Amino acid sequence: MDRRKIDVVLSTFLIIASVIILTNDSLAEGGADSEMGILFLPRVVAGFIIIFAATIAIQSFMKLSKGAAMEGQEVITTDGFSGIFIYVGIFVAYWLAVPHLGFMVTTPFVMLGVAYLLGGRNWLPIILMSAITPVLIYYGSREYLRVYLPTWTL
């Protein structure tokens, strides 16, 4: 499979969905309204999705239009499903562990596991991101969105 074509198609789909989120005011009914509005977070996320998806799509489209030879990471091998089963296993374990161990304890381990499966080998940035990202998400969701993520119950 050619990853470039998949990148262009998925990025186009994500950009269209994000534009719908940005332009449609009737997507949310009820919910906990904050000072920033009920659709503040979805719109911020949609904006980031547009930026990142456009970056990926433009790079892939440029390589497709030039007819550049595919590099090793641009070919998706479809033999075997072991990686998919491992991802599903990690997320099922995460889903079961979060209510008991809490978001702050389980999320760094899941991030490390997924980074390892994706082939990450530069451990210092991976460990730093796995530690910093859950803290930022936990604090941001509690302080700005008033969403309380699960904490340690044992």
Side-chain angles (χ1 to χ4, degrees), residues 77-149:
T77 57
T78 56
D79 3 323
F81 290 103
S82 62
I84 295 170
F85 293 131
I86 292 171
Y87 284 121
V88 170
I90 286 174
F91 288 116
V92 167
Y94 180 67
W95 178 50
L96 295 173
V98 165
H100 304 291
L101 298 176
F103 177 82
M104 293 291 291
V105 174
T106 54
T107 303
F109 291 110
V110 169
M111 291 178 71
L112 285 170
V114 170
Y116 179 76
L117 284 174
L118 289 175
R121 299 297 180 261
N122 196 354
W123 289 108
L124 182 61
I126 291 172
I127 290 171
L128 287 174
M129 287 304 295
S130 296
I132 293 170
T133 302
V135 171
L136 293 176
I137 291 171
Y138 187 82
Y139 176 77
S141 67
R142 186 186 68 200
E143 295 299 319
Y144 297 111
L145 302 175
R146 293 188 209 121
V147 173
Y148 294 94
L149 297 171

Side-chain angles (χ1 to χ4, degrees), residues 12-92:
T12 304
F13 172 76
L14 288 173
I15 289 170
I16 291 169
S18 297
V19 167
I20 291 170
I21 291 170
L22 286 174
T23 59
N24 193 344
D25 286 337
S26 63
L27 288 176
E29 294 179 18
D33 199 10
S34 66
E35 296 101 22
M36 294 178 260
I38 199 165
L39 281 172
F40 173 74
L41 180 64
R43 287 185 172 151
V44 169
V45 171
F48 281 121
I49 288 173
I50 289 173
I51 292 168
F52 295 138
T55 303
I56 292 170
I58 290 169
Q59 290 175 358
S60 295
F61 188 73
M62 295 296 285
K63 288 181 181 179
L64 277 171
S65 65
K66 289 180 183 176
M70 284 194 293
E71 299 171 8
Q73 68 218 27
E74 293 178 331
V75 177
I76 300 174
T77 57
T78 56
D79 3 323
F81 290 103
S82 62
I84 295 170
F85 293 131
I86 292 171
Y87 284 121
V88 170
I90 286 174
F91 288 116
V92 167

